[in-house]
Amino acid sequence: TGAMEFWAGRNGCTADLPASGSCTGRTGCEDGADVLYCEVEGMGHDWPASPVDATDVILDFFLGDPDQK
């Protein structure tokens, strides 16, 4: 997506993260950052709880869950 590519470029990311469900991303970014993008088909700009629990995804991302890398 445009937003993910923008942030990946801004953060100097060099590699793709393996796709996981409805999420994709980039790794190898400056300062060890990753860029993660999740999209639930057919859903607008809402905070999803199903089929992906956005709260769990964002917490795992910020806490550095190794399963997300």
Side-chain angles (χ1 to χ4, degrees):
T1 73
M4 184 182 68
E5 294 304 326
F6 169 81
W7 288 109
R10 178 131 165 70
N11 287 299
C13 304
T14 59
D16 291 336
L17 283 170
S20 174
S22 60
C23 299
T24 186
R26 303 285 187 270
T27 192
C29 312
E30 296 171 7
D31 297 325
D34 289 337
V35 174
L36 184 65
Y37 176 80
C38 301
E39 182 175 337
V40 178
E41 193 170 321
M43 187 169 220
H45 194 224
D46 297 315
W47 194 260
S50 177
V52 174
D53 187 334
T55 302
D56 288 342
V57 171
I58 198 75
L59 284 174
D60 288 347
F61 179 77
F62 283 120
L63 295 174
D65 182 5
D67 292 335
Q68 294 289 328
K69 302 212 185 267

